[in-house]
């Protein structure tokens, strides 16, 4: 099937399945079922089977899914069997917290360059990386062949940074800045916004809890 | 319609619509259409009209939506017309970045208490708040009548913190820790995980970009 014919909402659930399988594998489990994955995620087992059926047959009726096999298939579908290089823009509190996040490598990512415009931060060592001058953004991204970036700068600077990233050849942006970015249609974007997460829960709270 | 009969995936899109409308309003715009909202979000106008139709008639054929009216309706549906008090657990790099996030108030939230277990952080002032000893979690949450919490502690401590939050009466948790929490079924949870965001974009990147 043409990759673009699969609904985006299906694609967005696959990383959740993969994370659940990774956790099961870490706990020594080798086999699972759509029921079990569904219970962990609050998604129906029918939905999970339907989502996976876009990509093939991954389990047998009655015997469930081999976790290792399904993980590898999902990694291939999501193209995270290899490791993607990622540029991080912003070395403030948020940027440092992102750098310390421990799940990137297992997820298929490695932050290989961090940039800031603040002269007090440029040159500082954070973990394995030295903070680079944002003036070198284009050069370093081209040199390293990076096509994914994380924006962790204040909202007022986010669009300018995004423009520079697009100009340097970046094709996917994860943004922590609380505003929509203007981007060419061939550049993917995903926003990390705590308010969106909170607002999707308040609907279910009783009004008397306010 | 019974609130629980509306698909969760519809509920999860409403905050995105509200954010888009907020931005339009901030730019002085007063009227919009499902086409325009859809173009900004990469969602079809049919989907947007269908989602909104669960809750009533918000626009007229040919004249579009009154932005102010639709914003207020969405705020009421999502129960964010009032402001919810929120407890933040963790005053490290990530917690400080969350505190500095500027979108909470407009979104319907106010962080009214921040906790840490580190004696070096307890008592420190961050913005308007003084970091409280996590030993006071239960007492302060009950006193303030808080039912929403944000977890910004290391993964190894997240489950213990979640247990304490549930015990104190918290009904919705936004977690930045990269692991699934074991929670009672009457407690909502939403995870903020950069890897999930990145993996839902790599699917669309050309393999030669790796």
């Amino acid at each position: 099937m043409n990759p673009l014919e699969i609904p985006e909402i299906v694609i967005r659930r696959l990383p959740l399945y993969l994370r659940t399988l990774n956790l099961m594998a870490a706990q020594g489990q080798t086999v699972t079922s759509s029921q079990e994955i569904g219970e962990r995620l609050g998604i129906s087992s029918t939905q999970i089977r339907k989502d996976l059926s876009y990509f093939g047959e991954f389990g047998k009726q009655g015997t469930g899914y081999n976790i290792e096999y399904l993980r590898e298939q999902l990694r291939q579908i999501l193209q995270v069997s290899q490791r993607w290089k990622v540029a991080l823009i912003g070395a403030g509190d948020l940027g440092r917290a992102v750098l310390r996040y421990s799940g990137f490598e297992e997820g298929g990512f490695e932050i290989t360059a961090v940039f800031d415009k603040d002269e007090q931060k440029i040159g500082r060592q954070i973990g394995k990386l030295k903070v680079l001058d944002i003036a070198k953004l284009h050069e370093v991204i081209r040199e390293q062949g990076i096509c994914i970036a994380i924006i962790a700068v204040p909202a007022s600077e986010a669009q300018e940074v995004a423009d520079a990233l697009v100009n340097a050849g970046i094709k996917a942006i994860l943004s922590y800045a609380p505003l929509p970015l203007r981007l060419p249609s061939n550049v993917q974007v995903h926003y990390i916004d705590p308010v969106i997460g909170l607002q999707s829960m308040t609907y279910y709270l009783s009004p008397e809890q306010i």
Side-chain angles (χ1 to χ4, degrees), chain A:
Chain A
M1 183 179 256
N2 180 327
L4 295 176
E5 285 173 16
I6 295 167
E8 192 183 334
I9 193 67
V10 173
I11 303 302
R12 286 186 176 256
R13 279 193 288 264
L14 301 184
L16 301 175
Y17 302 161
L18 179 54
R19 180 171 63 182
T20 304
L21 293 166
N22 287 341
L23 194 85
M24 291 173 172
Q27 293 167 340
Q29 197 175 331
T30 57
V31 177
T32 186
S33 63
S34 51
Q35 285 78 9
E36 191 186 23
I37 301 172
E39 275 166 26
R40 294 225 192 179
L41 289 171
I43 298 174
S44 79
S45 58
T46 315
Q47 183 71 67
I48 291 170
R49 284 194 300 273
K50 192 177 160 207
D51 286 355
L52 295 177
S53 73
Y54 280 103
F55 306 96
E57 278 289 338
F58 299 118
K60 281 183 193 152
Q61 194 80 33
T63 61
Y65 299 113
N66 175 304
I67 290 177
E68 205 42 65
Y69 178 73
L70 186 53
R71 282 172 84 195
E72 186 48 36
Q73 296 300 310
L74 286 172
R75 280 195 291 251
Q76 283 185 21
I77 293 165
L78 292 170
Q79 304 196 113
V80 291
S81 303
Q82 303 100 318
R83 192 164 297 164
W84 296 81
K85 291 178 187 168
V86 177
L88 170 66
I89 326 303
D93 286 340
L94 181 58
R96 286 197 302 276
V98 169
L99 268 174
R100 208 170 296 133
Y101 179 81
S102 58
F104 287 119
E105 298 214 353
E106 180 172 35
F109 304 95
E110 184 184 4
I111 296 176
T112 59
V114 52
F115 300 89
D116 206 290
K117 68 170 194 181
D118 179 353
E119 287 188 11
Q120 302 230 310
K121 295 195 185 102
I122 295 165
R124 263 203 222 168
Q125 193 79 22
I126 307 181
K128 285 188 289 186
L129 294 174
K130 193 168 275 189
V131 179
L132 301 174
D133 188 336
I134 199 159
K136 293 198 179 147
L137 190 74
H138 195 285
E139 177 190 335
V140 173
I141 284 176
R142 293 282 172 145
E143 258 177 27
Q144 294 196 14
I146 299 174
C147 67
I148 302 176
I150 299 176
I151 294 182
V153 302
S156 56
E157 299 163 24
Q159 183 62 51
E160 191 186 344
V161 165
D163 292 342
L165 289 170
V166 170
N167 200 28
I170 290 293
K171 296 296 179 211
I173 293 175
L174 185 77
S175 177
Y176 281 87
L179 82 176
L181 299 169
R182 293 179 301 279
L183 296 167
S185 60
N186 67 335
V187 175
Q188 304 282 322
V189 63
H190 188 96
Y191 298 97
I192 300 251
D193 183 342
V195 164
I196 299 292
L198 291 170
Q199 287 184 340
S200 63
M201 296 192 287
T202 49
Y203 175 81
Y204 296 101
L205 295 176
S206 311
E208 62 264 30
Q209 289 171 329
I210 294 183

